[in-house]
Amino acid sequence: MEKILEVITNELMVLMIATMPLVELRGAIPIGVSLGLHPLHATLIAILGSLIPMPFLYLFLEPVLKHLSKIKLLDRLVDRISQRTLENSKKVRRFKRYSIIGLVVFVAIPIPSTGVWSGCLVALLLNIPFRYALPAISLGTIIAGTIIFVLTYWVAIL
């Protein structure tokens, strides 16, 4: 019974880490493996965890940012976050016709600040409709998870 609770606790920890901005699945997969989960198991949980906040982010991020930008102390921070995200997504903006593919590639690059959270912000800033943004960000997350899985599995077998 104790072993079952430990596995569930570890899975829940990986899931929660994957929902956090900046860390997302890029950090959740290696942490899951270090907790004793199989790399594939940790990857599937991390992908699921990364995708959980996506619909909420897409639907509520814009109104929250608009509200925060009206607060004098926070308007510079909101502007800086928006500008930094737009700078990171220059290639997505450059090819407006291919913005969906660019969004997939942007989210798929497994480096900090290019995950689901930034992908949702990019989709909002570029006015990509939800019905296109959702599958693009999901596919990018799966690709990023696969890349991190391969790297983690490779390190784990060494």
Side-chain angles (χ1 to χ4, degrees), residues 12-13 28-29 46 65 67 76 78 83 109 118 142 150:
L12 193 58
M13 188 180 307
I29 294 171
L65 287 176
H67 179 71
R76 286 185 185 167
V78 170
Q83 290 304 319
I109 299 170
S118 298
I142 292 168
V150 169

Side-chain angles (χ1 to χ4, degrees), residues 42-58:
T43 301
L44 294 174
I45 293 169
I47 288 172
L48 177 67
S50 279
L51 295 176
I52 287 172
M54 183 180 35
F56 304 105
L57 286 170
Y58 191 89

Side-chain angles (χ1 to χ4, degrees), residues 49-117:
S50 279
L51 295 176
I52 287 172
M54 183 180 35
F56 304 105
L57 286 170
Y58 191 89
L59 296 174
F60 300 116
L61 192 59
E62 187 174 25
V64 168
L65 287 176
K66 282 183 181 179
H67 179 71
L68 291 177
S69 66
K70 293 177 183 175
I71 299 171
K72 195 143 188 113
L73 293 172
L74 298 176
D75 74 344
R76 286 185 185 167
L77 177 65
V78 170
D79 188 48
R80 194 169 45 211
I81 290 171
S82 298
Q83 290 304 319
R84 182 173 174 205
T85 304
L86 282 173
E87 284 177 24
N88 285 342
S89 65
K90 280 182 184 173
K91 288 185 174 54
V92 178
R93 283 186 292 145
R94 203 174 289 157
F95 303 105
K96 267 290 201 194
R97 288 178 33 194
Y98 306 108
S99 60
I100 306 301
I101 296 168
L103 186 59
V104 171
V105 171
F106 178 77
V107 175
I109 299 170
I111 58 174
S113 77
T114 62
V116 171
W117 288 71

Side-chain angles (χ1 to χ4, degrees), residues 97-154:
R97 288 178 33 194
Y98 306 108
S99 60
I100 306 301
I101 296 168
L103 186 59
V104 171
V105 171
F106 178 77
V107 175
I109 299 170
I111 58 174
S113 77
T114 62
V116 171
W117 288 71
S118 298
C120 286
L121 186 56
V122 167
L124 288 169
L125 293 173
L126 297 179
N127 297 318
I128 297 174
F130 182 74
R131 67 177 187 216
Y132 299 120
L134 182 75
I137 294 170
S138 299
L139 180 59
T141 301
I142 292 168
I143 293 168
T146 303
I147 293 169
I148 298 298
F149 163 74
V150 169
L151 294 173
T152 305
Y153 190 73
W154 181 67

